[in-house]
Amino acid sequence: MLSYENKIILAPMVRIGTLPMRLLALRYGADIVYTEELIDWKFLRSKRRYNDILDTVDYVDQTDGTIIFRTCTEEKEKVVLQLGTCDAERAVKVAKLVENDVAAIDINMGCPKEFSIKGGMGVALMAQPDKAYNILKTLVDNLSIPVTCKIRILDTPDETLTVVQKLITSGIKAIGIHGRTRNERPQHPVHTDIIQYVSDRVSIPVIANGGSKEIETHSDIYKFKKLTGCTSVMIARAAEWNCSIFREEGLLPMDTVIREYLKLAVDYDNSPSNTKYCIQNILRDLQETPRGRQFLECQTLEQICSIWDLDEYCQQKQSQHQKLGIQGRWQVCPNELEPPHKKRKSADVELTDGICQKKVCFIRANFTDLNLPKSRLHVWARKNGHKLPNYDTQQVEKLFRTIITFNGKKYTSTFWEKNRKFAEQGAALVCLRFLGIVTDEELIKLGCIIK
């Protein structure tokens, strides 16, 4: 069972704590890694799928096929899923779903963001200690893995201690304490004295958090631990800026960290938008340099990788994934939605006879801005004196499909995309295929044909 004694931990960070960054932290020396906060109701609309191509476990949103949570064997004994919840019943349902895939469950009781507070989650639970206790107690009574929570301090040491002592009686195995109040932000000093006051008076491990301003080197982690009197230390922004903070041997150059992070992002098919966000937080002010501005213009993993001389690595890995069928792997169709057609926005989503159709998906990473399917189709139409095609896009929940009308014929892909633009590009690909402008061989090479 997971131990919280004398550990250095990657803290939960929104959009940062995805699989590539968690694995990088572990490889650099972190003992435990937390996921980003995952909201209970989002999790409850997902299904667990084993991804035999990536050798991962994926929790897939059944409204649009996006990945809510992805994990793998390498982190199984060290990953803690942080849950955003305000309801004990929902929390248990989620925890039972993932119980065999994670090392522990943590309840977020410290997030001060408006979204969490309005939903009765995060730091809002600190104002309702009975409710917070009930959530934790229900989890402890129903799970075989450890349960913890992460809080923010209250205005005084005694107020904080009173709430902590109540939460501890639920049976939690550890408690994380961020040394700032609900209304304080990173620019405010961390109250190490309050963390120490609590740590000295409770019997379970206390994990100190909030010291990133003081932590610039690996040795600073132990100074912060001593200053707070805590059992373990949880690191957020210092790890976000340079994940090699976990290395006993010292910090690595920023470019080395980015390259090693990028390889993991490619290996685990991480989304370009999330990958870009994580690198932005590593670059920080360097985004204003010529290379930084070039990076900000990137839209695909390959474009990002090319800046750090990993474009060939990215191409080879993505080609391997596509040949194995990674693209469109967890596609959700309207008749698979739960419940089906809950928010149907199109009166007619059924295909009729006479429509030229093929199961083709649009993979943005495999197209340059100069060879996008719609652009190719429009150029061909103009050269041959035809009117431009008409695009009719249907939507069911978060899924999109476009039917193109061109020269009196209709074309569509039977693959439902996650946004309108991709649906239009997919339909254009089908149209190009039936016009003979694009061949099946080219579509296969692009990884666009879904079997």
Side-chain angles (χ1 to χ4, degrees):
M1 185 171 286
L2 191 66
S3 167
Y4 290 89
E5 298 285 347
N6 298 312
K7 304 298 182 184
I8 300 176
I9 302 168
L10 176 69
M13 292 179 282
V14 175
R15 297 184 68 189
I16 298 293
T18 46
L19 181 59
M21 192 64 76
R22 298 196 305 266
L23 290 178
L24 189 62
L26 288 173
R27 293 179 186 183
Y28 282 152
D31 299 301
I32 299 172
V33 290
Y34 278 55
T35 70
E36 60 181 332
E37 180 191 27
L38 299 169
I39 308 302
D40 55 7
W41 55 267
K42 286 188 177 181
F43 230 111
L44 288 175
R45 70 188 188 196
S46 71
K47 280 189 177 180
R48 183 186 188 276
R49 305 278 188 90
Y50 173 64
N51 189 325
D52 58 355
I53 295 173
L54 300 179
D55 194 21
T56 60
V57 171
D58 298 346
Y59 285 83
V60 185
D61 190 325
Q62 291 304 286
T63 65
D64 61 6
T66 56
I67 307 297
I68 299 291
F69 172 53
R70 171 169 283 165
T71 186
C72 67
T73 303
E74 183 178 342
E75 68 169 3
K76 184 176 180 179
E77 303 301 324
K78 297 180 178 180
V79 63
V80 177
L81 188 143
Q82 189 184 68
L83 191 61
T85 188
C86 64
D87 183 271
E89 183 179 348
R90 287 202 303 270
V92 168
K93 285 181 179 178
V94 172
K96 295 302 286 184
L97 279 176
V98 302
E99 187 173 14
N100 295 321
D101 293 320
V102 299
I105 297 290
D106 181 82
I107 300 301
N108 185 347
M109 298 184 180
C111 180
K113 297 296 179 65
E114 186 178 4
F115 169 80
S116 286
I117 294 173
K118 283 187 175 179
M121 302 179 293
V123 76
L125 288 171
M126 291 292 288
Q128 303 179 71
D130 290 337
K131 186 175 186 178
Y133 166 85
N134 181 53
I135 291 172
L136 295 174
K137 178 64 174 170
T138 304
L139 287 167
V140 169
D141 290 347
N142 286 278
L143 297 181
S144 61
I145 57 176
V147 176
T148 64
C149 67
K150 181 172 179 286
I151 69 168
R152 280 185 169 242
I153 61 170
L154 297 174
D155 290 333
T156 69
D158 286 330
E159 285 181 282
T160 307
L161 180 62
T162 298
V163 172
V164 168
Q165 288 175 328
K166 181 176 183 65
L167 298 179
I168 287 175
T169 61
S170 68
I172 57 176
K173 298 299 183 184
I175 186 165
I177 301 179
H178 183 104
R180 294 182 180 85
T181 65
R182 171 175 176 161
N183 295 319
E184 290 178 329
R185 295 297 179 264
Q187 64 268 27
H188 295 104
V190 62
H191 300 276
T192 54
D193 56 327
I194 295 183
I195 300 177
Q196 183 175 30
Y197 183 85
V198 174
S199 184
D200 289 345
R201 290 165 176 78
V202 300
S203 57
I204 67 171
V206 173
I207 307 165
N209 178 230
S212 285
K213 286 176 70 174
E214 291 77 24
I215 298 174
E216 296 182 355
T217 66
H218 188 80
S219 61
D220 291 335
I221 299 172
Y222 298 100
K223 293 176 185 177
F224 185 69
K225 180 176 181 289
K226 185 177 181 180
L227 196 60
T228 57
C230 283
T231 309
S232 297
V233 175
M234 179 179 281
I235 304 171
R237 286 177 299 132
E240 175 184 317
W241 298 333
N242 189 327
C243 197
S244 66
I245 190 74
F246 293 107
R247 293 178 78 251
E248 290 184 3
E249 304 86 348
L251 290 170
L252 291 170
M254 178 193 70
D255 285 328
T256 301
V257 173
I258 291 176
R259 283 176 59 85
E260 294 184 353
Y261 167 75
L262 272 173
K263 284 185 177 180
L264 285 166
V266 171
D267 290 347
Y268 287 96
D269 195 36
N270 201 49
S271 75
S273 59
N274 179 256
T275 301
K276 185 174 181 178
Y277 179 80
C278 290
I279 294 176
Q280 281 181 277
N281 284 275
I282 299 173
L283 290 174
R284 295 195 286 167
D285 293 344
L286 294 178
Q287 292 177 77
E288 298 304 318
T289 64
R291 185 175 66 160
R293 287 192 289 271
Q294 180 188 356
F295 160 74
L296 291 175
E297 293 176 357
C298 293
Q299 298 296 320
T300 69
L301 270 180
E302 186 180 338
Q303 289 170 349
I304 296 171
C305 285
S306 67
I307 296 176
W308 282 273
D309 300 320
L310 288 170
D311 43 333
E312 185 175 341
Y313 180 85
C314 183
Q315 290 166 6
Q316 291 175 350
K317 204 72 178 182
Q318 288 189 334
S319 176
Q320 177 186 336
H321 287 166
Q322 288 158 19
K323 286 176 182 177
L324 292 171
I326 194 73
Q327 299 297 346
R329 187 166 185 74
W330 303 135
Q331 194 219 356
V332 177
C333 297
N335 59 2
E336 297 171 344
L337 295 177
E338 297 185 356
H341 307 294
K342 178 180 163 188
K343 296 179 180 177
R344 193 162 173 162
K345 293 187 178 180
S346 173
D348 177 20
V349 296
E350 300 301 326
L351 292 179
T352 58
D353 292 338
I355 296 182
C356 301
Q357 55 188 284
K358 194 173 185 68
K359 195 170 186 180
V360 169
C361 68
F362 172 69
I363 304 168
R364 182 62 180 87
N366 294 347
F367 292 86
T368 68
D369 292 339
L370 298 177
N371 75 336
L372 291 172
K374 281 181 67 177
S375 299
R376 289 182 67 179
L377 179 58
H378 290 192
V379 168
W380 187 89
R382 290 190 182 98
K383 283 184 176 179
N384 290 275
H386 301 299
K387 291 183 179 179
L388 294 181
N390 178 65
Y391 296 83
D392 176 27
T393 301
Q394 305 165 336
Q395 179 181 358
V396 177
E397 293 251 354
K398 297 180 180 179
L399 304 175
F400 297 83
R401 183 173 63 194
T402 296
I403 296 176
I404 286 179
T405 302
F406 182 60
N407 280 352
K409 291 186 177 181
K410 295 182 181 294
Y411 306 86
T412 191
S413 171
T414 56
F415 182 89
W416 289 78
E417 297 280 4
K418 297 173 186 176
N419 64 57
R420 183 179 299 272
K421 289 182 179 179
F422 280 24
E424 291 178 351
Q425 297 287 2
L429 271 176
V430 175
C431 185
L432 290 168
R433 164 63 183 82
F434 279 96
L435 291 173
I437 302 168
V438 172
T439 64
D440 280 347
E441 289 73 20
E442 186 175 350
L443 290 175
I444 290 171
K445 185 177 179 181
L446 289 166
C448 297
I449 290 184
I450 302 299
K451 298 179 181 178

